[in-house]
């Protein structure tokens, strides 16, 4: 009986000790789990903070990306406008350059035409000097060849005469020969007279006298020496055109203006094709 009681007592004590150990172990496990839970909660809170920060950063990045897209679109638009503007400026510069080149060609054409006209006048001057020698004064004035013959040579000592002297036809013949060799040249015969007291009723005044003297020269060139009358004009200067005490008749030789214009026009047309 005592053994049974002892055994039961031992068994009870053992069982109590085991249960106490298990309870202790269980409490330790619970405490461990609580610590782990607390740590997990702390980590969870940190993760949530990081997530919130990350979301904020994402939103910031999204905003920046949006701004960058808008800026990029604006830059592309501005670049397109700049490219178009640069293209237009390049086209304008190209047109300006072409215009300058055209003007340069036109100026060259005009200079060439003037040079050709000057060459014609120089050749005419040379021919006339060779033909006339000292019989008349020859010069180039205002772009024209100018032959000056004293009225006493053409009309004699009578300063009111409108009839060409026979001995004057020699010099007029030489002039006509040179003029007929240059059929494209225009001729103006300019008469000058002094302030004379005219009593001849066939002559109205000095304007009339200088015009008739110039016409007499033209008529002689036409009738006696076959100079084309379509090339010639008469100009009367009266006493107001005289530049010396001795009255003179001037024969002004120049290229026809319309032919010069046509020459310039033709050269400009040819230069524009180049």
């Amino acid at each position: 009986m005592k053994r049974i009681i002892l055994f039961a007592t031992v068994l009870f004590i053992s069982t109590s000790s085991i249960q106490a150990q298990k309870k202790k172990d269980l409490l330790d496990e619970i405490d461990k789990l609580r610590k782990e839970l607390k740590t997990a909660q702390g980590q969870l809170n940190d993760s949530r903070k990081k997530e919130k920060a990350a979301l904020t950063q994402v939103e910031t990045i999204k905003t920046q990306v949006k701004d960058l897209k808008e800026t990029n679109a604006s830059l592309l638009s501005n670049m397109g406008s700049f490219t178009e503007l640069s293209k237009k400026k390049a086209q304008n510069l190209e047109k300006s350059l072409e215009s300058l080149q055209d003007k340069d060609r036109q100026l060259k054409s005009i200079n060439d035409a003037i040079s050709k006209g000057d060459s014609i006048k120089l050749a005419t001057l040379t021919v006339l000097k060779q033909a006339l020698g000292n019989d008349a004064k020859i010069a180039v004035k205002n772009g024209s060849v100018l032959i000056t013959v004293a009225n006493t040579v053409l009309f004699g000592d009578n300063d009111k005469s409108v009839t060409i002297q026979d001995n004057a036809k020699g010099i007029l013949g030489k002039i006509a020969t040179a003029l007929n060799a240059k059929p494209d040249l225009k001729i103006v015969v300019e008469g000058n007279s002094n302030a004379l007291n005219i009593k001849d009723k066939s002559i109205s005044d000095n304007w009339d006298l200088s015009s008739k003297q110039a016409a007499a020269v033209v008529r002689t060139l036409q009738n006696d020496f076959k100079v084309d009358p379509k090339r010639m004009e008469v100009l009367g200067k009266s006493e107001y055109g005289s530049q010396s005490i001795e009255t003179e008749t001037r024969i002004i030789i120049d290229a026809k203006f319309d032919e010069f214009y046509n020459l310039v026009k033709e050269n400009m047309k040819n230069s524009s094709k180049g």
Side-chain angles (χ1 to χ4, degrees):
M1 183 68 179
K2 288 180 180 181
R3 287 181 179 180
I4 293 172
I5 293 171
L6 181 61
F7 178 75
T9 301
V10 171
L11 180 62
F12 175 76
I13 293 171
S14 297
T15 301
S16 297
S17 179
I18 292 171
Q19 288 178 346
Q21 184 64 41
K22 285 183 178 181
K23 182 177 180 180
K24 182 178 181 300
D25 291 340
L26 183 60
L27 290 173
D28 290 341
E29 184 67 23
I30 290 172
D31 186 58
K32 180 180 178 182
L33 289 175
R34 284 176 177 173
K35 290 180 179 180
E36 290 178 353
L37 178 60
K38 185 177 181 180
T39 300
Q41 286 177 340
Q43 292 176 347
L44 178 60
N45 290 334
D46 290 341
S47 297
R48 286 176 176 174
K49 290 179 181 180
K50 290 179 180 179
E51 180 186 12
K52 185 176 180 181
L55 290 174
T56 302
Q57 188 175 7
V58 168
E59 291 299 323
T60 302
I61 292 173
K62 284 182 178 180
T63 302
Q64 292 175 346
V65 169
K66 181 181 178 182
D67 292 341
L68 286 173
K69 285 182 178 180
E70 291 176 353
T71 302
N72 187 49
S74 177
L75 287 173
L76 289 174
S77 177
N78 291 337
M79 185 177 294
S81 300
F82 178 76
T83 301
E84 185 66 24
L85 182 61
S86 298
K87 183 179 178 181
K88 288 182 179 179
K89 285 186 176 180
Q91 291 174 345
N92 290 336
L93 286 174
E94 186 176 354
K95 289 180 181 178
S96 298
L97 180 60
E98 290 176 356
S99 178
L100 288 174
Q101 290 173 341
D102 288 340
K103 291 184 184 299
D104 184 61
R105 285 192 290 266
Q106 291 172 3
L107 288 173
K108 184 177 183 302
S109 299
I110 293 173
N111 286 332
D112 291 343
I114 292 173
S115 298
K116 183 174 180 179
D118 289 343
S119 299
I120 293 173
K121 291 166 190 173
L122 180 60
T124 304
L125 179 66
T126 302
V127 169
L128 286 168
K129 281 190 173 182
Q130 291 174 348
L132 297 176
N134 295 324
D135 293 339
K137 293 186 292 184
I138 306 172
V140 175
K141 184 177 181 180
N142 298 329
S144 300
V145 177
L146 182 65
I147 304 172
T148 304
V149 184
N151 281 359
T152 53
V153 174
L154 295 172
F155 303 104
D157 294 332
N158 182 3
D159 52 11
K160 299 182 183 69
S161 173
V162 294
T163 302
I164 299 294
Q165 299 290 301
D166 289 338
N167 58 3
K169 291 186 179 181
I171 187 172
L172 291 179
K174 293 178 181 179
I175 294 172
T177 300
L179 295 177
N180 286 333
K182 300 287 184 179
D184 294 333
L185 295 177
K186 178 183 176 182
I187 307 153
V188 176
V189 179
E190 177 191 290
N192 297 273
S193 66
N194 283 326
L196 303 174
N197 184 14
I198 298 174
K199 297 179 180 180
D200 188 343
K201 293 183 179 180
S202 65
I203 300 174
S204 302
D205 50 25
N206 284 283
W207 291 106
D208 191 22
L209 175 61
S210 60
S211 299
K212 286 182 176 179
Q213 288 177 336
V217 174
V218 168
R219 196 175 294 114
T220 300
L221 291 174
Q222 174 186 350
N223 296 334
D224 294 7
F225 304 108
K226 308 304 179 186
V227 179
D228 186 358
K230 294 179 181 179
R231 301 169 55 191
M232 297 187 287
E233 294 180 6
V234 169
L235 179 62
K237 283 293 191 73
S238 184
E239 69 270 25
Y240 303 108
S242 180
Q243 298 178 357
S244 65
I245 296 175
E246 182 181 13
T247 56
E248 301 168 331
T249 295
R250 302 186 187 98
I251 300 175
I252 304 166
I253 303 169
D254 200 0
K256 291 181 179 178
F257 178 78
D258 55 347
E259 292 190 2
F260 174 78
Y261 172 77
N262 289 333
L263 178 63
V264 172
K265 185 177 180 181
E266 186 65 25
N267 286 344
M268 290 174 65
K269 185 189 297 182
N270 293 334
S271 67
S272 64
K273 294 178 181 179

